[in-house]
Amino acid sequence: MSIGIWILGNQLSHENTALNSILTEKLSAKIIFIESLNFVQQRCYHQQKLIFIWSAMRHFAQQLQAENYNIDYKIGLDFLSILTAWIQENNITQLRLMLPCDRPFLKLIKAWNLPCQIKFYPNNNFLWQPEEFQQWAKSRKRLILEDFYRESRKKWHILLTENNQPIGGKWNLDKENRQPPKKNLSPPKTLFFPPDNITLEVKEKVKKLNINTYGKSDNFSWAVTRKDALKVLNNFINNCLEKFGKYQDAMITNQEFMWHSLISPYLNIGLLQPLEVIKAVEKTYFDDNLPLNSVEGFIRQILGWREYMYGIYHYVEEDYFQGNYFNHQQPLPDFFWDSSKTKMNCLNQVLKQTENTGYAHHIQRLMILSNYGLIAGISPQALEDWFHSVYIDAYDWVMQTNVLGMGQFADGGILASKPYASSANYIHKMSDYCTNCQYNYKEKSTENACPFNYLYWDFLHRHEDKLKSQGRMNLVLKHLEKISPETWEKIKYLKQLNLNHKINT
């Protein structure tokens, strides 16, 4: 048997299960990496995403070659023609690869008529395999994240006593986290890396691409090797973890990264492994007595949220991704692609940051960008496609569930227990964005009113019947009775101005 290994751009790990299958035959087996131009034309990707993936691929291929693996690195138009020619040239009889994390790409590979057998290996960029999640989920009436998180804590014995009880007496310390930012906060410096020759070569390639791309690449400084990704993790643990929980939802002008770890890109392509991250953070808690609320809150993001989203993604049926519970059909506003086209400071800040870095933290994405999309009635699928395009850590498995299920409530409550909709009051509480905005966060029915306010109340009003079925919404819906008919007319008028791009642009 002549074995070939195909390593995908988000599977760059020595723990890659397909790679590990040839440890005793690495001199005879062939390994291929492929950069496909046609594949990246399927959406308008951020330039930094393309640089990140291709540079990380080239670095990993170079490292494997230095370890005496037999490497071919191919650059061309499409995966299929390159792969087919390579299989034939090398008389490959069995192609092995780790299961792709995204369903459409797996479906695409299975549809190809390759001239050899294909053997898939489990994807160990995640702790729960899809079959294990299905086994956990099938007997439950509701798939609640908190239940899944507790099960995961027990399964890997994380932050537990000898009696399998949570250290500190509580499973979830969220009430101790997520405080508004104080004045004069000074977040720690972010660890960045100057591009080496490989990355500079990739940057030049991306600049010359004759395809639509998004964002800016001049300041690219992400890690592209496991060695540097580990430095990012250690920097977070040593300098950011202590205050992470307290300020994980805070937003400050010109402070893009706050106390966040910035490791999601590295987890999502295999440069870091989830359990090693969780164990490193847990060990620091025991060794250095760091605040439990920060440690637990961070571990919950990886062991709870990340694994849960991946499990849900592979659990639901195909039609889940076309869900549109509120039947929202508005097109994506132009300012999502060009931050200078919005006058709302919060949107401008987050969108400008996204253009410059390919990153925004979870509350900026959920409570600024997704929140606006939800209350303005933007098509969930159009918004999800944008998120997938612009973020450096974006993949189908995370954006479909996170944007459609959590951010847009497009599944009607399968994933989230209520819509994540809010007025400007939340943004004012958790950020300083409202201070330098031309709109008034206190007003809801004047032309000076923050669009988040009148869009929020209009959203509640037009979907009142559907929202009543969500028990957690009934208290806020009672406020609709206090709004006068005259105010409703003003709210509807302002909403229409907004949708016609005569306000906020």
Side-chain angles (χ1 to χ4, degrees), residues 60-93:
F60 189 56
Q62 185 183 71
Q63 183 179 358
L64 291 181
Q65 198 154 29
E67 296 169 3
N68 295 321
Y69 284 95
N70 199 339
I71 303 296
D72 282 323
Y73 199 102
K74 302 291 185 180
I75 300 172
L77 287 178
D78 67 279
F79 289 124
L80 179 56
S81 62
I82 294 171
L83 201 57
T84 300
W86 179 77
I87 289 169
Q88 292 171 338
E89 288 168 10
N90 293 282
N91 298 314
I92 302 295
T93 56

Side-chain angles (χ1 to χ4, degrees), residues 113-124:
N113 186 24
L114 292 174
C116 72
Q117 177 193 7
I118 303 178
K119 185 175 182 179
F120 293 103
Y121 287 77
N123 190 316
N124 62 353

